[in-house]
Amino acid sequence: MTTCRVCASPLGKVAYEASAPALTSMMAFIDIPTLVFVCDDCGHAQCADLPDIETFYDTTYRISLESDDHDQIFAVAADGSPIYRTDHQAAIGLRLLDLPQGASILDYGAGKATTLRKMCTARPDLHPHVFDVSRDYVPAWDGWVTGEDQATYTVPEAWAGRFDAIISHFVIEHVAEPVAFLKTLHALLAPGGRVLLSMPDVAANPGDMTVADHLNHFSTASLKRALASSGFALETIDSTAFPGAFFAVAMRSEVPVVIEEDRWEATAAAAKAKEICAFWKQATNRLDGAAKQFSGKRAAVYGSGFYGSWICSRIEADVDFRVFLDQNPKLQGSTLFNRPVLSPANLDEDVDVVFVGLNPLKARAAIAGQAALHRPGLELVWIEG
Ligand SMILES: [Zn+2]
């Protein structure tokens, strides 16, 4: 990589580097090294290109396709019932966009478009359209989006300037050219139309930095820059409604948007991104050391998400790695990398060491409440120093 995906400034040397394999957001390993670069001009952090990106999204990347149960649980309500990610996204979208009656809305990179479907259930006056770079999702669209309002692979020319609003949830982090992507959305909106984007906030969830198919790791600074460069007037960046993510709303501008460079903000974003890269460097060293230290010992990994999968890849050659532990009842009873996922309370007495695979910003608090992990003789390994 030689130039920044957002501002096209020359990039310096790699900020984080790890040997193959790399882990994708779908918890699959691909045989490429992990390379992260940080732009000193706009503060944007970015990963190197994926090989054959079109095929990856057409046939490999199948989020939430198997069943509705794969709709990730976002939180657990006070009464113990799960709150699903798409319910939460739909509610945020309706609140932030405040759509006019009968608005024409497009879900761009829709997947199954569950979020849009839920918005339309709440607002039957909305006119839904869907687009994705795969035909895998067509069966999920049929029945509530008319055929002429569905598009795959390419967007019909007739859709230019059509939409009052576009939603695009957790898509922009995957695209190689985010400014070109935003210009495409700009051209699809009617004058005054608005876009709602969501994307990971790497500062709140450092694991995002090494996800192989997340080519972009936005900061507030680099997101502002990308939106202005593509002709959008920023209205809101919300970093609290959805923990670990940004939700941004911006309006199509008919005149070029002045790029207000905030040196302090960009410099701070670059420094934060480099700090996260340094964290991963020490985490990798620490884990490799622990794998050798506990070589042959019976081990469990707490957390069957991204961090746990990453730990599995680093330790399985050395330790006797038997089970994943996860608090999420929807995941208990499943398997990951040929190991069962169990409730933490069901940890076997003979396990010697537990590797904690959670967001390091939240791990200590999460483990403090797990009585089964505090028995004498059980070692805990943390990825943060
Ligand atoms: Zn840049």
Side-chain angles (χ1 to χ4, degrees), residues 248 252 285:
R252 167 176 156 149
N285 290 338

Side-chain angles (χ1 to χ4, degrees), residues 167-184:
I167 61 171
S168 186
H169 286 297
F170 299 102
V171 175
I172 195 169
E173 66 271 25
H174 296 273
V175 306
E177 297 177 55
V179 174
F181 171 84
L182 289 170
K183 284 179 176 170
T184 300

Side-chain angles (χ1 to χ4, degrees), residues 309-342:
S309 303
W310 176 75
I311 290 172
C312 170
S313 75
R314 310 249 22 139
I315 66 168
E316 63 182 347
D318 294 300
V319 305
D320 178 9
F321 169 36
R322 300 182 163 197
V323 294
F324 284 98
L325 306 173
D326 206 298
Q327 254 197 307
N328 184 341
K330 290 255 177 190
L331 298 172
Q332 292 162 8
S334 65
T335 59
L336 182 66
F337 304 119
N338 300 317
R339 273 84 170 186
V341 180
L342 305 179

